[in-house]
Amino acid sequence: MNLTKTISLSTLFLFSGASVSTAFAPSRTFQTGLHQGTTHNSARRTLIPHLPKSNLLSQNSSKLTPPRQKSTLKLNGVVSDFVNALENIPEGTDLVAGAFIIFCAVTPYFLGLFFPKKFDESFFMKTYGDKDEEGRAAENNWKKMYATLGLTLTSIQFYAFLGHISVEDALRHDYIAWTLFYIAASIKLSVENRRNLIAYNYVPSQLWHLVVACGLTPDLFFSPKKG
Protein backbone atom coordinates (compact mmCIF):
# COMPACT_ATOMS: atom_id res chain seq x y z
CA MET A 1 0.00 0.00 0.00
CA ASN A 2 2.73 2.41 0.89
CA LEU A 3 4.65 1.41 -2.23
CA THR A 4 1.64 2.21 -4.36
CA LYS A 5 1.25 5.68 -2.77
CA THR A 6 4.92 6.41 -3.30
CA ILE A 7 4.78 5.50 -6.99
CA SER A 8 1.66 7.57 -7.53
CA LEU A 9 3.16 10.60 -5.76
CA SER A 10 6.38 10.40 -7.76
CA THR A 11 4.40 10.14 -10.98
CA LEU A 12 2.36 13.20 -9.99
CA PHE A 13 5.51 15.23 -9.27
CA LEU A 14 7.01 14.30 -12.66
CA PHE A 15 3.90 15.44 -14.57
CA SER A 16 3.66 18.72 -12.62
CA GLY A 17 7.38 19.47 -13.20
CA ALA A 18 7.07 18.83 -16.94
CA SER A 19 4.04 21.11 -17.22
CA VAL A 20 5.77 23.90 -15.31
CA SER A 21 8.91 23.66 -17.45
CA THR A 22 6.80 23.68 -20.59
CA ALA A 23 4.86 26.75 -19.46
CA PHE A 24 7.93 28.86 -18.60
CA ALA A 25 10.15 27.76 -21.47
CA PRO A 26 10.43 30.29 -24.42
CA SER A 27 8.37 29.28 -27.40
CA ARG A 28 9.74 28.79 -30.92
CA THR A 29 7.65 31.60 -32.31
CA PHE A 30 9.08 34.07 -29.81
CA GLN A 31 12.63 32.97 -30.55
CA THR A 32 12.01 33.15 -34.30
CA GLY A 33 10.51 36.64 -34.03
CA LEU A 34 13.42 37.84 -31.94
CA HIS A 35 15.89 36.42 -34.43
CA GLN A 36 14.08 38.05 -37.35
CA GLY A 37 14.00 41.44 -35.58
CA THR A 38 17.73 41.23 -35.01
CA THR A 39 18.41 40.39 -38.63
CA HIS A 40 16.16 43.28 -39.81
CA ASN A 41 18.02 45.76 -37.59
CA SER A 42 21.41 44.55 -38.81
CA ALA A 43 20.25 44.76 -42.44
CA ARG A 44 18.93 48.27 -41.85
CA ARG A 45 22.26 49.32 -40.37
CA THR A 46 24.12 47.99 -43.38
CA LEU A 47 21.78 49.72 -45.84
CA ILE A 48 21.90 53.16 -44.12
CA PRO A 49 25.38 54.76 -44.44
CA HIS A 50 27.02 55.74 -41.21
CA LEU A 51 27.59 59.50 -41.09
CA PRO A 52 30.24 61.08 -38.86
CA LYS A 53 29.03 63.12 -35.92
CA SER A 54 30.64 66.27 -37.28
CA ASN A 55 28.65 66.02 -40.52
CA LEU A 56 25.47 65.41 -38.62
CA LEU A 57 26.12 68.44 -36.42
CA SER A 58 26.91 70.65 -39.40
CA GLN A 59 23.78 69.53 -41.21
CA ASN A 60 21.64 70.12 -38.14
CA SER A 61 23.21 73.54 -37.54
CA SER A 62 22.69 74.52 -41.19
CA LYS A 63 19.07 73.47 -40.98
CA LEU A 64 18.57 75.41 -37.76
CA THR A 65 20.23 78.61 -39.09
CA PRO A 66 17.51 81.16 -39.93
CA PRO A 67 17.50 82.78 -43.41
CA ARG A 68 18.17 86.27 -42.02
CA GLN A 69 21.28 85.07 -40.23
CA LYS A 70 22.51 83.39 -43.41
CA SER A 71 22.05 86.61 -45.39
CA THR A 72 23.84 88.56 -42.66
CA LEU A 73 26.75 86.15 -42.74
CA LYS A 74 26.96 86.47 -46.53
CA LEU A 75 26.87 90.28 -46.28
CA ASN A 76 29.63 90.26 -43.65
CA GLY A 77 31.69 88.03 -45.90
CA VAL A 78 31.27 90.40 -48.86
CA VAL A 79 32.21 93.42 -46.73
CA SER A 80 35.29 91.68 -45.31
CA ASP A 81 36.37 90.64 -48.82
CA PHE A 82 35.94 94.22 -50.03
CA VAL A 83 37.99 95.59 -47.13
CA ASN A 84 40.72 93.02 -47.74
CA ALA A 85 40.76 93.94 -51.42
CA LEU A 86 41.22 97.62 -50.53
CA GLU A 87 44.05 96.78 -48.14
CA ASN A 88 45.80 94.67 -50.78
CA ILE A 89 45.75 97.40 -53.43
CA PRO A 90 49.30 98.17 -54.63
CA GLU A 91 51.08 100.87 -52.68
CA GLY A 92 50.56 104.37 -54.06
CA THR A 93 47.23 103.63 -55.74
CA ASP A 94 45.41 106.10 -53.50
CA LEU A 95 47.92 108.81 -54.36
CA VAL A 96 47.48 108.24 -58.10
CA ALA A 97 43.69 108.20 -57.79
CA GLY A 98 43.65 111.44 -55.78
CA ALA A 99 45.94 113.20 -58.26
CA PHE A 100 43.78 112.06 -61.18
CA ILE A 101 40.60 113.43 -59.57
CA ILE A 102 42.22 116.77 -58.79
CA PHE A 103 43.66 117.07 -62.30
CA CYS A 104 40.21 116.47 -63.75
CA ALA A 105 38.68 119.02 -61.37
CA VAL A 106 41.07 121.90 -62.06
CA THR A 107 42.01 121.32 -65.70
CA PRO A 108 38.97 123.24 -67.06
CA TYR A 109 40.02 126.27 -65.01
CA PHE A 110 43.55 126.00 -66.39
CA LEU A 111 42.33 125.68 -69.99
CA GLY A 112 40.00 128.62 -69.43
CA LEU A 113 43.06 130.89 -69.34
CA PHE A 114 43.95 129.95 -72.91
CA PHE A 115 40.45 129.52 -74.34
CA PRO A 116 38.37 132.10 -72.48
CA LYS A 117 35.56 132.45 -74.98
CA LYS A 118 34.86 128.74 -75.19
CA PHE A 119 35.06 127.96 -71.47
CA ASP A 120 33.38 131.16 -70.29
CA GLU A 121 30.30 130.20 -72.27
CA SER A 122 30.26 126.42 -71.69
CA PHE A 123 31.94 125.80 -68.32
CA PHE A 124 32.12 129.04 -66.33
CA MET A 125 28.43 129.63 -66.47
CA LYS A 126 26.79 132.63 -64.95
CA THR A 127 25.69 132.16 -61.36
CA TYR A 128 25.04 135.51 -59.69
CA GLY A 129 23.15 138.57 -60.87
CA ASP A 130 24.81 141.47 -62.67
CA LYS A 131 23.99 144.28 -60.24
CA ASP A 132 23.72 142.32 -57.03
CA GLU A 133 26.10 143.48 -54.31
CA GLU A 134 25.60 140.30 -52.32
CA GLY A 135 26.31 138.27 -55.44
CA ARG A 136 29.53 140.19 -55.97
CA ALA A 137 30.52 139.51 -52.36
CA ALA A 138 29.79 135.82 -52.90
CA GLU A 139 31.97 135.86 -56.03
CA ASN A 140 34.81 137.43 -54.06
CA ASN A 141 34.49 134.69 -51.45
CA TRP A 142 35.45 132.14 -54.12
CA LYS A 143 38.71 134.01 -54.68
CA LYS A 144 39.38 134.04 -50.96
CA MET A 145 38.71 130.32 -50.71
CA TYR A 146 41.09 129.55 -53.58
CA ALA A 147 43.77 131.74 -52.03
CA THR A 148 43.34 129.94 -48.71
CA LEU A 149 43.63 126.59 -50.47
CA GLY A 150 46.85 127.68 -52.17
CA LEU A 151 48.29 128.83 -48.84
CA THR A 152 47.38 125.49 -47.22
CA LEU A 153 48.97 123.44 -50.01
CA THR A 154 52.15 125.50 -49.92
CA SER A 155 52.39 125.15 -46.13
CA ILE A 156 52.06 121.36 -46.41
CA GLN A 157 54.81 121.16 -49.02
CA PHE A 158 57.09 123.34 -46.96
CA TYR A 159 56.42 121.16 -43.92
CA ALA A 160 57.51 118.15 -45.97
CA PHE A 161 60.61 120.06 -47.11
CA LEU A 162 61.61 120.51 -43.47
CA GLY A 163 61.59 116.72 -43.12
CA HIS A 164 58.71 116.44 -40.67
CA ILE A 165 56.58 114.35 -43.03
CA SER A 166 57.28 112.26 -46.12
CA VAL A 167 56.29 113.12 -49.67
CA GLU A 168 53.53 110.49 -49.55
CA ASP A 169 52.08 112.00 -46.36
CA ALA A 170 52.29 115.48 -47.88
CA LEU A 171 50.27 114.34 -50.89
CA ARG A 172 47.64 112.77 -48.63
CA HIS A 173 47.40 116.03 -46.65
CA ASP A 174 46.98 117.91 -49.94
CA TYR A 175 44.07 115.65 -50.85
CA ILE A 176 42.47 116.34 -47.49
CA ALA A 177 42.73 120.09 -48.19
CA TRP A 178 41.18 119.68 -51.65
CA THR A 179 38.36 117.54 -50.26
CA LEU A 180 37.56 120.09 -47.57
CA PHE A 181 37.60 122.83 -50.20
CA TYR A 182 35.01 121.13 -52.41
CA ILE A 183 32.84 120.21 -49.43
CA ALA A 184 32.95 123.85 -48.31
CA ALA A 185 32.11 124.93 -51.87
CA SER A 186 29.05 122.66 -51.89
CA ILE A 187 27.88 124.09 -48.57
CA LYS A 188 28.53 127.63 -49.80
CA LEU A 189 26.36 127.15 -52.88
CA SER A 190 23.58 125.54 -50.85
CA VAL A 191 23.49 128.46 -48.38
CA GLU A 192 23.56 131.03 -51.17
CA ASN A 193 20.74 129.27 -52.96
CA ARG A 194 18.59 129.41 -49.81
CA ARG A 195 19.30 133.12 -49.57
CA ASN A 196 18.22 133.54 -53.22
CA LEU A 197 21.65 134.84 -54.22
CA ILE A 198 22.10 132.42 -57.09
CA ALA A 199 20.26 133.55 -60.17
CA TYR A 200 21.46 131.01 -62.75
CA ASN A 201 22.75 127.44 -63.11
CA TYR A 202 22.63 126.31 -59.49
CA VAL A 203 22.09 122.62 -60.26
CA PRO A 204 25.06 122.08 -62.66
CA SER A 205 27.39 124.09 -60.42
CA GLN A 206 26.37 122.15 -57.33
CA LEU A 207 26.61 118.82 -59.13
CA TRP A 208 30.16 119.62 -60.23
CA HIS A 209 31.35 120.32 -56.69
CA LEU A 210 29.51 117.32 -55.25
CA VAL A 211 31.00 114.93 -57.82
CA VAL A 212 34.53 116.08 -57.02
CA ALA A 213 33.91 115.94 -53.26
CA CYS A 214 32.37 112.45 -53.49
CA GLY A 215 35.27 111.29 -55.64
CA LEU A 216 37.92 112.54 -53.22
CA THR A 217 36.28 111.50 -49.95
CA PRO A 218 36.61 107.69 -50.40
CA ASP A 219 40.25 108.18 -51.39
CA LEU A 220 40.95 109.51 -47.88
CA PHE A 221 39.66 106.43 -46.08
CA PHE A 222 41.87 103.73 -47.51
CA SER A 223 45.63 103.54 -47.63
CA PRO A 224 47.32 100.46 -49.08
CA LYS A 225 49.59 98.55 -46.72
CA LYS A 226 53.29 98.91 -47.33
CA GLY A 227 54.86 95.67 -48.44
Side-chain angles (χ1 to χ4, degrees), residues 143-186:
K143 301 174 184 177
K144 298 173 185 177
M145 290 175 63
Y146 271 111
T148 304
L149 176 63
L151 176 62
T152 303
L153 298 177
T154 304
S155 301
I156 293 172
Q157 299 306 317
F158 189 76
Y159 195 64
F161 168 75
L162 295 177
H164 296 289
I165 57 176
S166 63
V167 177
E168 292 81 1
D169 292 335
L171 273 176
R172 291 190 176 95
H173 294 338
D174 289 345
Y175 299 160
I176 293 173
W178 277 104
T179 305
L180 293 177
F181 172 82
Y182 275 93
I183 291 175
S186 302

Side-chain angles (χ1 to χ4, degrees), residues 76-215:
N76 292 334
V78 172
V79 173
S80 62
D81 292 341
F82 179 72
V83 173
N84 292 331
L86 289 180
E87 291 179 350
N88 294 325
I89 288 177
E91 185 180 354
T93 304
D94 58 331
L95 301 179
V96 176
F100 176 76
I101 295 172
I102 293 172
F103 289 159
C104 293
V106 300
T107 298
Y109 297 93
F110 172 74
L111 294 176
L113 294 174
F114 302 96
F115 307 99
K117 293 183 178 180
K118 185 176 182 179
F119 280 88
D120 287 348
E121 295 177 359
S122 60
F123 187 80
F124 302 110
M125 294 176 291
K126 198 174 187 180
T127 305
Y128 305 102
D130 295 332
K131 299 179 180 180
D132 192 349
E133 294 182 359
E134 293 184 352
R136 178 175 173 77
E139 194 72 43
N140 290 333
N141 287 334
W142 287 113
K143 301 174 184 177
K144 298 173 185 177
M145 290 175 63
Y146 271 111
T148 304
L149 176 63
L151 176 62
T152 303
L153 298 177
T154 304
S155 301
I156 293 172
Q157 299 306 317
F158 189 76
Y159 195 64
F161 168 75
L162 295 177
H164 296 289
I165 57 176
S166 63
V167 177
E168 292 81 1
D169 292 335
L171 273 176
R172 291 190 176 95
H173 294 338
D174 289 345
Y175 299 160
I176 293 173
W178 277 104
T179 305
L180 293 177
F181 172 82
Y182 275 93
I183 291 175
S186 302
I187 297 173
K188 178 179 183 297
L189 285 174
S190 179
V191 173
E192 291 171 353
N193 185 55
R194 292 181 180 180
R195 295 174 57 187
N196 296 323
L197 295 179
I198 298 178
Y200 314 98
N201 303 313
Y202 167 72
V203 174
S205 299
Q206 185 67 293
L207 284 177
W208 172 257
H209 293 90
L210 287 175
V211 167
V212 177
C214 293

Side-chain angles (χ1 to χ4, degrees), residues 60-87:
N60 293 332
S61 61
S62 62
K63 290 180 181 179
L64 294 176
T65 305
R68 291 184 179 178
Q69 188 174 358
K70 288 182 180 179
S71 60
T72 304
L73 293 175
K74 290 182 180 179
L75 181 60
N76 292 334
V78 172
V79 173
S80 62
D81 292 341
F82 179 72
V83 173
N84 292 331
L86 289 180
E87 291 179 350

